[in-house]
Amino acid sequence: MTASRVRLRALELTGRRWLNTGGKDLSLADLRGKVVLLDFWTFCCINCLHVLDELRPLEEKYADVLVILGVHSPKFEFERTEAAVEQAVERYEVAHPVLDDPDLVTWQAYTARAWPTLAVIDPEGYLVASMSGEGHSAGLASLLEDLIVEHEGKGTLRRGDSPYVPPPPSSHELKYPGKALALPSGTWLVSDSGHHSLVELGADGETVLRRFGTGERGSADGGPGEASFSEPQGLALLPEDLAAQTGYHVVVADTVNHLLRGLNLDTGEVTTLAGTGEQFMVGAADNVTGTHDLEAGRYWGPARDIKLSSPWDVLYSPETGRVLIAMAGHHTIWAFDPLTGEAGWFAGTMNEGLKDGPAEQAWFSQTSGLARAPEGTVWLADSESSALRSLDPGSRETTTAVGEGLFDFGFQDGPAAQARLQHPLGVTVLPDASIAVADTYNGAIRRYEPATGQVSTLARGLAEPSDVLVAGAGTGEDPYHLMVVESAAHRLTRVAIPADAQIVDDGAKSTTRPPTPVAPGTLDVQIGFTVPAGQKLDDRWGDPTWLEVSSTPPELIAEGAGGSEGLSRTLTLRDGIESGVLHVTARAAACDGEPGGEIPLHAACHLYQQDWGIPVTVNEGAEAALHLDLRGA
């Protein structure tokens, strides 16, 4: 990380309102004397949620000199609403002021192009560094130490008081529950994500019978009063015979801990099944420890030796004998074998997007919901592309039923090719073989009928539904109905399945950000990367950098799409296409060590990655180059 060559005065922060300040508006002048870190984020983005967790230790260690300011810069229409931003700040326990920037005014002023983006302002009010993506905590700590020494020496550092004012505490039996599971006893197991625990509710979906977990963030194993979780989500029930062999009945996606946990329903005992507790970083050399084998060239081995990345949902697949994992953090589907204790890759390339095909070619986008049809097909809610997709567990082929891409969404029923969802998180299969989707940001339950290819709406007006299940026996006295995890209402809600579904047409939409003008013909894509102080590029096994470029529509790029080593690429844009989105993924690997020297044995290594989706317009006279910064000033 390097200081800016030219001292640039940081621009003022402008938005709709401030949160976590006790109603006070903030200005950079109020914060003079502090190091200020701007975190441009949006609450749908898993990478942004990773950064929130990365910043917590820095926020605590440097509390008297560092002020972190979140700048909420929405991607989806729902994320523009005031209540949704307030709930996200509470849901993710954001313990610093947040500027609500629905029109991306401050985002544009700081030329942010990706979620997340970080910017550092020194105590004199000058912008000294900016960076995109996650994994910057070590570099930020080094920069903070340098700034503290420099400005204490100059007398320009002010210690003490923070502008953060915590909101009034809320009290609910459940707090932003994520997923639910019907148990054989007729009760419901719920991942009480905001309380970092699991709860068993009675058949009524309301009465609390048991709680598993202390309620505090943690990763301890043990009994129901000793174990701890961190924002758990998905729950998968094992068959009785398999549970008897393994010693646990339920597999839990312990999302923020990057772990899978096992729950024994008889004893309440919680054990760790998979993960090391550290996040898998794409391309890093230390994602797997110990001995392991590779399956189809991907990670597969002892589950406790492999890092995971925000597992969001889990599903037992009898066809494979494995628990499938929606690995939202790096946009893939993984699997865990309860009998062998092994885990690893199942489908996806770790590129974010909407691309069908065999396992080695498919792209997913923050898959957050899984459901199995009776014949074995696995249905997926791909949240960031607002898509409903299916995966054949035998061939591992993926097909999209509803959805267009990362920046296309809406609330529109009708033929699947024109239908639109908005950031769905849950999915289930109905008794008539149609598919119900928890269309989270539309506050609705949608239905897709594979036989007709039609999409309709079963229910509206729900508060961020994050999961949906079928309940009832299908009899006259107990007809089939839906049990919906109404996350932002902190409850499970029973919803009747209507005889005639609604047809809604609120229109198709797309993420609107100012497009970047580019010249027709050839376009040079160049990624700037500054190796942080105390690190050097990890070139022990060849070029440690990688660049992947694609586009929507795919026809926008005539030549130069795909992935290869290096951080620069010359594209040829196709004549006649005036606009589109360039999807760019850049990676660089570095390890602790001095430039010019050897990398020490057992040195800590770091993987820096960022994904950009850049709207472009092709204009005569525009620049023939696109410059992006992976890390640096």
Side-chain angles (χ1 to χ4, degrees), residues 174-179 190-193 466 485-487 490-491:
L174 302 177
K175 183 179 180 183
Y176 297 107
K179 302 289 183 181
V190 180
S191 54
D192 192 4
S193 307
S466 57
V485 179
E486 203 175 357
S487 187
H490 315 289
R491 66 190 181 200

Side-chain angles (χ1 to χ4, degrees), residues 298 345 347-349 351 355-364 397:
R298 307 282 177 163
W345 171 86
T349 64
N351 290 309
K355 183 177 179 181
D356 291 338
E360 298 85 357
Q361 300 174 15
W363 291 20
F364 300 94
E397 186 90 11

Side-chain angles (χ1 to χ4, degrees), residues 173-240:
E173 200 69 73
L174 302 177
K175 183 179 180 183
Y176 297 107
K179 302 289 183 181
L181 177 67
L183 297 178
S185 61
T187 61
W188 300 93
L189 185 66
V190 180
S191 54
D192 192 4
S193 307
H195 285 141
H196 312 294
S197 60
L198 309 179
V199 177
E200 185 179 359
L201 301 180
D204 60 2
E206 298 178 7
T207 305
V208 174
L209 304 178
R210 289 190 291 175
R211 186 174 288 274
F212 308 93
T214 64
E216 300 294 328
R217 286 186 189 269
S219 58
D221 289 341
E226 304 163 337
S228 52
F229 302 88
S230 187
E231 298 180 36
Q233 289 285 340
L235 305 164
L237 185 69
L238 297 183
E240 285 187 20

Side-chain angles (χ1 to χ4, degrees), residues 518-524 570-573 623-625:
V518 297
T522 59
L523 176 67
D524 290 328
T570 297
L571 308 177
T572 301
L573 303 183
E623 277 199 63

Side-chain angles (χ1 to χ4, degrees), residues 426-621:
V427 61
T428 195
V429 180
L430 298 178
D432 65 358
S434 63
I435 312 304
V437 180
D439 191 8
T440 308
Y441 287 1
N442 281 325
I445 303 299
R446 312 287 294 283
R447 178 169 66 187
Y448 168 68
E449 299 179 73
T452 64
Q454 294 291 308
V455 175
S456 56
T457 297
L458 298 177
R460 301 184 69 175
L462 299 165
E464 296 189 52
S466 57
D467 201 9
V468 56
L469 300 91
V470 176
T475 64
E477 294 182 353
D478 186 18
Y480 290 123
H481 57 278
L482 303 177
M483 185 67 86
V484 177
V485 179
E486 203 175 357
S487 187
H490 315 289
R491 66 190 181 200
L492 269 60
T493 301
R494 294 181 184 274
V495 174
I497 301 176
D500 297 310
Q502 306 173 53
I503 301 298
V504 177
D505 187 1
D506 286 353
K509 301 178 182 179
S510 61
T511 301
T512 55
R513 288 177 289 155
T516 298
V518 297
T522 59
L523 176 67
D524 290 328
V525 178
Q526 300 172 353
I527 311 297
F529 176 69
T530 303
V531 182
Q535 296 180 25
K536 60 169 294 181
L537 284 172
D538 183 10
D539 55 5
R540 291 173 291 178
W541 296 280
D543 192 330
T545 61
W546 179 265
L547 181 61
E548 179 107 21
V549 183
S550 63
S551 65
T552 303
E555 297 78 20
L556 175 62
I557 301 176
E559 295 181 15
S564 62
E565 294 177 341
L567 291 177
S568 63
R569 181 83 54 82
T570 297
L571 308 177
T572 301
L573 303 183
R574 194 177 303 277
D575 292 340
I577 300 181
E578 299 179 351
S579 64
V581 177
L582 292 178
H583 306 287
V584 181
T585 296
R587 301 173 193 156
C591 294
D592 292 350
E594 294 303 320
E598 296 292 326
I599 294 176
L601 188 64
H602 306 305
C605 294
H606 316 270
L607 192 282
Y608 303 100
Q609 172 174 329
Q610 178 59 41
D611 301 296
W612 293 269
I614 304 168
V616 297
T617 55
V618 182
N619 300 333
E620 291 286 352

Side-chain angles (χ1 to χ4, degrees), residues 16 18 52 70 81 122 161-162 176 195 223 251 260 269-270 274-275 348 374-375 387 507 510 514 539 549 617-618:
R16 176 166 57 191
W18 285 92
L52 285 176
T81 61
D122 74 11
D161 63 324
S162 165
Y176 297 107
H195 285 141
V251 176
L260 292 189
E269 191 78 13
V270 175
E375 81 283 359
S510 61
D539 55 5
V549 183
T617 55
V618 182

